[in-house]
Amino acid sequence: MVGTTMKNHNKTVSGGMASRLSVALSLAVFTLAGSAMATAAEHHNQTALVGTWTSIPDAPLVQNPGHPSEGLYRLKVNSDGTLTPLDFIKMKSPSWIVKSHDGRFAYTTNEENAGAVTALAIDHGGKVRVINAVDSHGQQPTHATISPDGKFLFVANYSVAKGGASVAVFPIHHDGSLGEQVQNFPFASGSGAVKDRQDSGHAHSTTFTHDGKYLYAADLGGDKLHAYAYHAGNAQPLQADTSRDVTFPAGSGPRHMVFSPDGKHAYVITEMAGEVVVFAVKDDRLQQQSSIKLNTENSSAEYRSGGGIILSPNGKFVIAANRGSDNNLVVFRIEQDGSLGSPVRYKADGIESRAFAFDASGKYLYVANVFTNNITLFHFDEQSGVLKAAGEVAKIATPTDIKFFN
């Protein structure tokens, strides 16, 4: 069509102008074609890292994989969104993966009683090597995030038992390696509202505000978000600011959170309450606006198990998971005022949908289903937010997280 348009248009203009127009249009076509080729190449060269638990959970809904996971798995992302297994790195329970801002490094939380954190280097071909590992100074580290300036890693030690929960801080060196811990904030007290779940504190995630000035740590056991001022120039960069802490209703279990693209709203998923709580952000303080149930049809405890929460790549939608006996992905449109639209629910095609992520194209959403030992794929419409199930794309024992690298 471009060629036809050029031909017809050139009949109506003088030779010099036609020549310049032809060159300009040719350059535009070349640029568009080059951009498409670059996007296709970027997508084709992607690799996925899948984190796992390396022991099989003792839970009623677990489907025994036959053989426990070996550690961290690497897969090739094909042009149609399917995954091809490549290799794995043997390690204990690399349950959560966080990418460095430039994609050259990654860090896994090794979710064991003797918690650890492992630093990885990712080369241009997507190959992975271990740089070093450090003690997490807590039990069952389950989440981590990197400061906006890339200087520190902040680890949430969940700890099933009393006394091992905390937020630990580690410096990141120029070669991607982790230094020894420089700070540790214990989460000792639980709200006690849910027996055996809130007898003590449980750090479940660490998340920076949009401006990078504050870190919020979700305490599932204490029904709180703990706030910390971040001072990049200090050897010990966090300073607790209890005036900005947020307390949830007893038994809520705040788990993970995300901020809107403009930083003016925050969305927190609660595990036991099974809700997404919406906050307005003013001067880095959170003011609750509303809460939305992940399952409006069944309010029983086994149907309330909030999991992961992410933004769509275009920042227009919030996607959350409800697990337990429900196992649905829930999509919310972010309205102009930052509120969330009506939830739209999709079967996750697996049990215990712990984590999920988009690939670089933004068209494919991958879900790690721990208890069914599989990764499922969904095609995502970035305008409508509609998810279309594309089935299982990988069988991996107890997958807990998936992240993508170019």
Side-chain angles (χ1 to χ4, degrees), residues 154-196:
F154 303 87
V155 175
N157 288 301
Y158 178 83
S159 188
V160 174
K162 292 182 180 180
S166 67
V167 168
V169 184
F170 302 88
I172 299 175
H173 298 147
H174 292 299
D175 64 355
S177 64
L178 290 170
E180 290 301 319
Q181 174 187 267
V182 294
Q183 274 184 298
N184 191 290
F185 296 87
F187 284 15
S189 301
S191 69
V194 179
K195 186 175 174 56
D196 298 328

Side-chain angles (χ1 to χ4, degrees), residues 369-388:
N369 302 294
V370 183
F371 291 172
T372 41
N373 309 296
N374 66 345
I375 305 290
T376 50
L377 170 64
F378 292 82
H379 293 228
F380 177 71
D381 186 310
E382 63 179 10
Q383 297 305 314
S384 67
V386 168
L387 293 176
K388 182 178 180 182

Side-chain angles (χ1 to χ4, degrees), residues 106-348:
Y107 303 89
T108 69
T109 56
N110 301 101
E111 194 174 340
E112 296 281 319
N113 288 340
V117 191
T118 302
L120 306 164
I122 317 291
D123 72 14
H124 292 299
K127 291 184 178 180
V128 181
R129 66 175 176 84
V130 173
I131 304 173
N132 74 327
V134 296
D135 186 336
S136 74
H137 293 273
Q139 297 180 19
Q140 289 95 28
T142 190
H143 186 274
T145 194
I146 297 172
S147 58
D149 53 26
K151 291 183 176 181
F152 294 93
L153 182 75
F154 303 87
V155 175
N157 288 301
Y158 178 83
S159 188
V160 174
K162 292 182 180 180
S166 67
V167 168
V169 184
F170 302 88
I172 299 175
H173 298 147
H174 292 299
D175 64 355
S177 64
L178 290 170
E180 290 301 319
Q181 174 187 267
V182 294
Q183 274 184 298
N184 191 290
F185 296 87
F187 284 15
S189 301
S191 69
V194 179
K195 186 175 174 56
D196 298 328
R197 298 297 311 279
Q198 296 185 306
D199 296 339
S200 61
H202 299 297
H204 216 310
S205 64
T206 53
T207 308
F208 270 93
T209 55
H210 189 262
D211 60 14
K213 293 180 180 179
Y214 285 86
L215 179 82
Y216 278 97
D219 182 356
L220 180 144
D223 287 322
K224 275 191 173 185
L225 291 177
H226 298 273
Y228 303 90
Y230 176 63
H231 303 286
N234 295 350
Q236 296 184 327
L238 292 187
Q239 180 180 3
D241 186 346
T242 56
S243 72
R244 286 178 164 81
D245 288 356
V246 177
T247 300
F248 288 73
S252 294
R255 179 183 172 97
H256 284 194
M257 70 185 298
V258 291
F259 284 85
S260 61
D262 62 8
K264 294 181 179 179
H265 289 82
Y267 311 99
V268 178
I269 190 166
T270 57
E271 183 163 331
M272 282 85 82
E275 296 178 335
V276 173
V277 184
V278 181
F279 294 89
V281 183
K282 295 183 179 179
D283 299 323
D284 292 313
R285 296 179 185 276
L286 305 185
Q287 301 176 359
Q288 183 175 337
Q289 291 191 318
S290 63
S291 62
I292 306 171
K293 293 184 182 302
L294 295 169
N295 187 335
T296 57
E297 299 174 358
N298 193 324
S299 60
S300 58
E302 61 267 29
Y303 283 82
R304 288 184 279 113
S305 184
I309 185 168
I310 62 173
L311 292 181
S312 63
N314 62 9
K316 294 182 178 180
F317 299 90
V318 167
I319 303 167
N322 195 37
R323 303 163 301 159
S325 296
D326 193 36
N327 293 296
N328 274 269
L329 300 177
V330 188
V331 180
F332 305 87
R333 181 183 291 276
I334 300 177
E335 307 294 354
Q336 287 190 345
D337 63 359
S339 64
L340 296 182
S342 300
V344 182
R345 289 158 47 84
Y346 301 88
K347 283 295 180 186

Side-chain angles (χ1 to χ4, degrees), residues 30-164:
F30 178 80
T31 301
L32 287 170
S35 176
M37 288 174 64
T39 300
E42 181 183 64
H43 178 75
H44 185 67
N45 291 331
Q46 285 186 99
T47 56
L49 292 184
V50 175
T52 66
W53 286 333
T54 50
S55 58
I56 300 171
D58 181 15
L61 297 177
V62 170
Q63 296 179 8
N64 195 315
H67 188 278
S69 163
E70 298 282 355
L72 185 71
Y73 288 80
R74 192 170 69 100
L75 303 94
K76 177 184 177 182
V77 183
N78 302 313
S79 58
D80 62 355
T82 58
L83 301 175
T84 300
L86 294 174
D87 50 34
F88 67 87
I89 296 177
K90 192 174 181 63
M91 66 171 69
K92 290 185 177 181
S93 297
S95 66
W96 179 263
I97 305 162
V98 58
K99 293 170 58 174
S100 66
H101 303 313
D102 60 9
R104 296 171 53 217
F105 306 105
Y107 303 89
T108 69
T109 56
N110 301 101
E111 194 174 340
E112 296 281 319
N113 288 340
V117 191
T118 302
L120 306 164
I122 317 291
D123 72 14
H124 292 299
K127 291 184 178 180
V128 181
R129 66 175 176 84
V130 173
I131 304 173
N132 74 327
V134 296
D135 186 336
S136 74
H137 293 273
Q139 297 180 19
Q140 289 95 28
T142 190
H143 186 274
T145 194
I146 297 172
S147 58
D149 53 26
K151 291 183 176 181
F152 294 93
L153 182 75
F154 303 87
V155 175
N157 288 301
Y158 178 83
S159 188
V160 174
K162 292 182 180 180

